[in-house]
């Protein structure tokens, strides 16, 4: 399976707010607002260049969603695709 | 709010209401309107002059033609335009209240609107967002009779620049079993007659308390967002609500979030930032009062 590269589209993610228990993000073009789970928020942060970006912290985020380690690549891919559908990230 | 009553020579009566930040002119010659509007808005002090600017110019009038005599009907007009189908004449008073809600929700976008009740006491200001049928009007009316100041039972307005709640404090629209229940618990509560066979069942309107009316132009910073749910037979149950979930529930109950765009998002964020968020299931008012009064106590202690 070919590797997909993802990038954060800053023109789309105009506003977001993070609390300890999750995050919401506003999409200005549609006016839609999305609630992100911890993993989606973490992936957005990674694409935004914000630390932490270690595998260990990714596993912690995934564990909060009860994801087995072997399922991690699939769940990360699914999450990025759902972020793409929300137009919050772009596949290169 | 201020009010001014002006009877015309041709039988029309006109009232002017200044509801905090907007003005309403109501003209009608329908007997039930003439009877109950002065009763409902009596707690608000009289205005001495016609307001310089009217935001909503409303007429509630009987339909012309045969409908004047056969199953009489009334129409609601905003600037001469009738946005609704006519209703039976005996529903003229609820029609005015519902119509004014429609005017505010659809045309008054200076503020962010939430489908929520709001109450305040000793600086503790609680937003109660909930969809129709969840008992928020009944809860708001009960809290008002218990000494809390009513901001609204239906549309809570929040100023985008400050996230400050703006009171409307109009009569509370009670439905079906709530009417007798509240009258039984609060015999001092002043209600209109019952209006039967409306689209919402039996309806009666509760007059705002003096506390609500006397501070109708005083806003407050929200401190709590509590999503209420009436569950018959249940004991009081209060659960902390995740902030993102509270945020999504709040904007899901907004009438004009989409119109405010980024400013609406920022305002809702500020509200959730500064408020404690809970969900509340209840069936007995005594337990609810104890919980709400506890919020005031906690506020004093904190």
């Amino acid at each position: 399976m070919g590797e997909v590269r993802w990038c954060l589209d800053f023109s789309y993610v105009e506003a977001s707010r993070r609390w300890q228990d999750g995050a919401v993000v506003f999409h200005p073009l549609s006016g839609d607002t999305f609630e992100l789970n911890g993993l989606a928020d973490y992936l957005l942060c990674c694409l935004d260049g914000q630390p932490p970006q270690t595998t260990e912290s990714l596993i912690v985020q995934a564990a909060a969603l009860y994801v087995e380690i072997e399922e991690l690549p699939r769940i990360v891919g699914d999450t990025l695709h759902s972020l793409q559908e929300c137009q919050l990230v772009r596949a290169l | 709010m201020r009010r001014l009553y002006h009877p015309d020579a041709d039988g029309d009566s006109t009232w002017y209401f200044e509801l905090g930040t907007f003005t309403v002119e109501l003209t009608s010659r329908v007997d039930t309107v003439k009877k109950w509007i002065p009763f409902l808005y009596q707690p608000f002090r009289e205005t001495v002059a016609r307001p310089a600017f009217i935001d909503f110019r409303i007429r509630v009038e009987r339909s012309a033609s045969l409908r004047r005599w056969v199953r009489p009907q009334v129409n609601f007009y905003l600037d001469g335009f009738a946005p609704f189908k006519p209703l039976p004449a005996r529903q003229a008073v609820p029609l005015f209240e519902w119509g004014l809600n429609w005017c505010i929700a659809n045309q008054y976008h200076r503020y962010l609107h939430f489908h929520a009740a709001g109450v305040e006491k000793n600086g503790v200001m609680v937003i109660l967002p909930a969809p129709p049928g969840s008992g928020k009007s009944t809860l708001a009316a009960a809290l008002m009779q218990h000494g809390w100041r009513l901001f609204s039972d239906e549309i809570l307005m929040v100023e985008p620049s400050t996230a400050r709640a703006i009171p409307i404090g109009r009569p509370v629209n009670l439905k079906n079993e709530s009417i007798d229940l509240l009258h039984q618990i609060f015999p001092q509560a002043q209600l209109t007659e019952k209006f039967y066979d409306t689209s919402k069942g039996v309806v009666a309107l509760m007059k705002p308390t003096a506390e609500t009316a006397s501070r109708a132009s005083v806003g407050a910073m929200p401190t709590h967002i509590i999503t209420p749910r009436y569950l018959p037979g249940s004991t009081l149950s209060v659960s902390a609500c995740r902030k993102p979930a509270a945020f999504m529930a709040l904007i899901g109950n907004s009438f004009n979030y989409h119109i405010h765009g980024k400013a609406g998002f920022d305002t809702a964020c500020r509200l959730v930032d500064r408020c404690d968020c809970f969900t509340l299931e209840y069936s007995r008012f005594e337990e609810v009062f104890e919980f709400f009064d506890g919020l005031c106590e906690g506020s004093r202690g904190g």
Side-chain angles (χ1 to χ4, degrees), chain B residues 285-301:
Chain B
F285 286 130
E286 310 89 82
E287 293 176 333
V288 173
F289 295 157
E290 193 177 338
F291 171 73
F292 272 74
D293 291 344
L295 297 178
C296 288
E297 294 297 321
S299 165
R300 283 198 200 104

Side-chain angles (χ1 to χ4, degrees), chain A:
Chain A
M1 200 165 86
E3 186 181 77
V4 182
R5 294 179 68 83
W6 300 87
C7 72
L8 181 65
D9 195 322
F10 290 96
S11 66
Y12 289 172
V13 185
E14 184 176 283
S16 63
R17 182 72 180 89
R18 290 179 175 80
W19 291 284
Q20 277 188 333
D21 44 11
V24 291
V25 61
F26 177 72
H27 178 247
L29 296 183
S30 64
D32 289 338
T33 304
F34 304 98
E35 181 182 357
L36 305 179
N37 63 29
L39 179 60
D41 184 37
Y42 176 85
L43 293 172
L44 275 186
C45 289
C46 290
L47 291 167
D48 199 13
Q50 296 176 34
Q53 298 186 52
T54 63
T55 307
E56 188 181 344
S57 61
L58 177 60
I59 291 170
V60 170
Q61 293 294 336
L65 299 173
Y66 304 103
V67 173
E68 301 290 343
I69 288 195
E70 52 270 25
E71 286 287 294
L72 199 51
R74 184 188 61 78
I75 198 78
V76 167
D78 288 351
T79 305
L80 285 166
H81 278 292
S82 69
L83 287 171
Q84 184 188 21
E85 283 173 9
C86 299
Q87 301 184 0
L88 298 174
V89 302
R90 237 180 3 197
L92 296 174

Side-chain angles (χ1 to χ4, degrees), chain B residues 178-256:
Chain B
S178 303
I179 302 167
D180 291 334
L181 177 69
L182 284 173
H183 215 186
Q184 197 177 348
I185 299 172
F186 303 103
Q188 80 279 12
Q190 293 183 287
L191 278 74
T192 62
E193 66 185 69
K194 291 179 181 175
F195 303 100
Y196 292 92
D197 300 324
T198 78
S199 60
K200 301 181 179 191
V202 185
V203 165
L205 293 150
M206 181 185 280
K207 186 175 172 175
T209 56
E211 165 69 3
T212 293
S214 66
R215 300 177 63 208
S217 59
V218 182
M221 292 303 289
T223 55
H224 296 76
I225 298 170
I226 299 177
T227 305
R229 185 169 166 232
Y230 176 76
L231 207 61
S234 66
T235 53
L236 185 84
S237 168
V238 182
S239 312
C241 186
R242 291 172 52 249
K243 294 259 180 181
F247 179 94
M248 296 305 285
L250 193 62
I251 65 168
N253 280 297
S254 174
F255 295 118
N256 61 358

